[in-house]
Every structure is written in structure tokens, then in C-alpha cells.
């Protein structure tokens, strides 16, 4: 077998003051939040919207704040419901201990989606247009989060003898796929670049729901692909027909994304044609 790379001696704690610790995963959340806010402001520039942007910059700021709450609450509840329902039902107070880890992207996505729907109804805005903006910005946080997973040495891949295999501290003495970095590349960088090009080089931003649909499809396919290299959760293993929980939860995402794009073909507003 090819010699594997020993995991660098990263600490999950970025700053330790004794009475208070700052973890890399928390910094990834904060960094993703700030960068998403900055990027949303850039997307709302007048040059991209001849008929005016779908939301104001103040509304985008509010959405980032409420969206963050949706990510945390939805991510935690999704993890509880999708992965360990019996364990947390037996000890419900454990649900509140978010600092111990245990977040689900799919749960966080549901939380953000509910925030978008409720905000759009309250402000009388298009939930599909807001979803487009959110979908373009989300890969920033996804990429940072996956890098933080790698730094933490968690959610590692299956055993392999590829030259870039990594021996993780809790993964035994055999080299494994650094699947966290695969996800950071696919769900983060590549998906961000693709959506950026679709936003700036095509008229999809004038078709409410189209870019959001591209995000749902892009993430779903990326997650399904990476799950072939990622070690399944030891308390779940492989499920229906050998698929992992991540794959099963991503299939509906792809189908929903296809529906969003199909729907958007019929909803191009006449007043929002590109200049």
C-alpha cells in the first residue's frame, strides 16, 4: 500500500483563554455569515438588476441574521431527527448542548427554507427570488464548514491507498480519503463558482427559483458523489440498498431542484428582462 499522510497536528480550538475557547468550527460559521452578507450586498448592486433588486440591502441584512438562526436550529433538530432520534428522546436536554457537536446540513437547509418562506410572506417579497440569492451565497459557508471538519479530524472518508490518503487521529492506523476536502471543493468552491457564473453570465437571475434550483441540484449531486468516499456514521452504517443517510436525504434535493428550474421557465417577469 502507498504510504499515507499523517494528519497534521491541528487543534479544534483556535483560541484558548482558559475560561473561554474559540473553536475553528465556530469561526467557520461566523466567517461564512460575514462573507455571505458581503456577497449578498454585491449581488444586489444596481448593475445586475435593471428593474431593481428583489430585496433591499437592509432586508438582505435581516435575512442573514434570521437565516443564521435557521441554520443552527434546523441543523441541530435535523441531526436529532435524522440521525439519533431515540437517543435524544431519552435525554431531551442533550438537544440543547450544541457545543458538543451534531449538526445536519439537510436540517439546516430546512430551517433556512422556512425562514425564507416566512420572511417573504411577511415582507410580501418573492420567496423564490430570495431563495436564488441565498443559494448563491450558501456555498461560502459550506466550504468553510467542511474545511473546519477537516481541521477537527471528523467526518473522514473510507479507507484507501490513494497517494493523498490521510491517517486521521480517530480513524485507525489506515489511510482514509480526506472526504471533508472533497466536499469543501465540490459543495463549496466549485458550486460557488458555477452559481456565480450563472448569476453574472446568464439571465437565470431574472427567473425566480432557477438559481435556487441549480443550488439544490448542485449540492445534492455533490453530496451523493462524496458519500461514496465518506465513512458512514458508525451508528447508522449503510441503509436502503447500500446508500448512506446523506445520499438518501440528497435525492429529494435533486428532484426539488429540477422542479424549481422547470417552474422558473414559466415565471420570467416581463419587466425584469436583462438590459
Amino acid at each position: 500500500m502507498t504510504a499515507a499522510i499523517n494528519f497534521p497536528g491541528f487543534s479544534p480550538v483556535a483560541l484558548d483563554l482558559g475560561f473561554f475557547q474559540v473553536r475553528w468550527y465556530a469561526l467557520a460559521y461566523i466567517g461564512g455569515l460575514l462573507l455571505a452578507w458581503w456577497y449578498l450586498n454585491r449581488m444586489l448592486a444596481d448593475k445586475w438588476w435593471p428593474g431593481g433588486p428583489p430585496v433591499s440591502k437592509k432586508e438582505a441584512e435581516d435575512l442573514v441574521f434570521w437565516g443564521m438562526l435557521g441554520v443552527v436550529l434546523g441543523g441541530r433538530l435535523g441531526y436529532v431527527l435524522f440521525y439519533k432520534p431515540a437517543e435524544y428522546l431519552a435525554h431531551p436536554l442533550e438537544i440543547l448542548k450544541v457545543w458538543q457537536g451534531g449538526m445536519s446540513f439537510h436540517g439546516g437547509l430546512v430551517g433556512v427554507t422556512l425562514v425564507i418562506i416566512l420572511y417573504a410572506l411577511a415582507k410580501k417579497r418573492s420567496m423564490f427570488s430570495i431563495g436564488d440569492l441565498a443559494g448563491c451565497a450558501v456555498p461560502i459557508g459550506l466550504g468553510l464548514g467542511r474545511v473546519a471538519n477537516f481541521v477537527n479530524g471528523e467526518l473522514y472518508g473510507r479507507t484507501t491507498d490513494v497517494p493523498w490518503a490521510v491517517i486521521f487521529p480517530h480513524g485507525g492506523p489506515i489511510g482514509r480519503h480526506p472526504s471533508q476536502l472533497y466536499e469543501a471543493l465540490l459543495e463549496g468552491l466549485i458550486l460557488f463558482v458555477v452559481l456565480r457564473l450563472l448569476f453574472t453570465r446568464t439571465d437565470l437571475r431574472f427567473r425566480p427559483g432557477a438559481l435556487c434550483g441549480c443550488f439544490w441540484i448542485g449540492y445534492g449531486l455533490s453530496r451523493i458523489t462524496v458519500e461514496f468516499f465518506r465513512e458512514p456514521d458508525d451508528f447508522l452504517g449503510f441503509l436502503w440498498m447500500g446508500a448512506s443517510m446523506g445520499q438518501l436525504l440528497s435525492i429529494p434535493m435533486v428532484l426539488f431542484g429540477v422542479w424549481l428550474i422547470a417552474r422558473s421557465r414559466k415565471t420570467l417577469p416581463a419587466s425584469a428582462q436583462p438590459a
Side-chain angles (χ1 to χ4, degrees), residues 92-126:
L93 291 180
E94 294 294 315
I95 297 175
L96 302 177
K97 298 180 180 180
V98 180
W99 58 89
Q100 293 183 353
M103 299 287 283
S104 161
F105 166 80
H106 295 90
L109 182 62
V110 171
V112 171
T113 301
L114 289 175
V115 165
I116 290 173
I117 292 172
L118 293 174
Y119 190 88
L121 291 175
K123 298 293 184 179
K124 295 181 172 55
R125 300 291 190 182
S126 167

Side-chain angles (χ1 to χ4, degrees), residues 4-266:
I5 302 169
N6 285 316
F7 182 75
F10 294 130
S11 169
V13 179
L15 179 64
D16 190 348
L17 301 177
F19 63 92
F20 182 73
Q21 291 183 337
V22 178
R23 294 180 172 266
W24 288 111
Y25 203 69
L27 290 179
Y29 267 85
I30 295 171
L33 174 69
L34 294 176
L35 288 173
W37 175 45
W38 170 82
Y39 185 56
L40 282 173
N41 281 323
R42 289 181 63 88
M43 286 194 294
L44 293 173
D46 291 339
K47 67 177 181 177
W48 301 119
W49 308 97
V55 296
S56 68
K57 291 187 177 182
K58 176 61 172 66
E59 288 171 329
E61 184 178 317
D62 293 339
L63 278 167
V64 169
F65 172 76
W66 291 110
M68 188 64 179
L69 291 181
V71 167
V72 174
L73 295 177
R76 184 59 171 173
L77 292 177
Y79 181 80
V80 170
L81 295 174
F82 297 149
Y83 293 91
K84 294 186 175 181
E87 180 177 327
Y88 282 103
L89 284 176
H91 306 282
L93 291 180
E94 294 294 315
I95 297 175
L96 302 177
K97 298 180 180 180
V98 180
W99 58 89
Q100 293 183 353
M103 299 287 283
S104 161
F105 166 80
H106 295 90
L109 182 62
V110 171
V112 171
T113 301
L114 289 175
V115 165
I116 290 173
I117 292 172
L118 293 174
Y119 190 88
L121 291 175
K123 298 293 184 179
K124 295 181 172 55
R125 300 291 190 182
S126 167
M127 67 182 72
F128 297 100
S129 294
I130 295 175
D132 289 338
L133 295 171
C136 289
V138 165
I140 298 173
L142 283 176
L144 292 175
R146 294 310 183 188
V147 171
N149 289 147
F150 179 78
V151 171
N152 289 345
E154 61 189 3
L155 305 182
Y156 43 72
R158 304 181 194 182
T159 57
T160 181
D161 60 355
V162 297
W164 55 89
V166 176
I167 299 176
F168 289 94
H170 305 293
I174 302 176
R176 294 178 176 274
H177 283 287
S179 55
Q180 314 95 323
L181 300 183
Y182 300 171
E183 291 186 90
L185 181 64
L186 286 176
E187 303 166 8
L189 180 60
I190 292 178
L191 186 55
F192 173 81
V193 171
V194 169
L195 289 170
R196 174 65 182 176
L197 292 175
L198 291 175
F199 178 82
T200 58
R201 304 291 180 86
T202 73
D203 67 350
L204 289 184
R205 65 183 178 278
F206 301 106
R207 289 168 44 183
L211 290 171
C212 185
C214 290
F215 165 77
W216 283 68
I217 293 173
Y219 177 86
L221 292 178
S222 297
R223 182 67 181 269
I224 289 170
T225 300
V226 173
E227 287 285 326
F228 285 111
F229 303 94
R230 177 174 162 176
E231 183 75 10
D233 297 291
D234 55 5
F235 52 86
L236 284 179
F238 295 105
L239 303 174
W240 183 65
M241 295 186 66
S244 67
M245 176 62 82
Q247 289 173 322
L248 294 178
L249 292 174
S250 295
I251 293 173
M253 285 189 65
V254 175
L255 298 177
F256 183 62
V258 171
W259 176 81
L260 283 172
I261 293 174
R263 177 198 170 278
S264 75
R265 295 173 63 87
K266 305 175 183 178

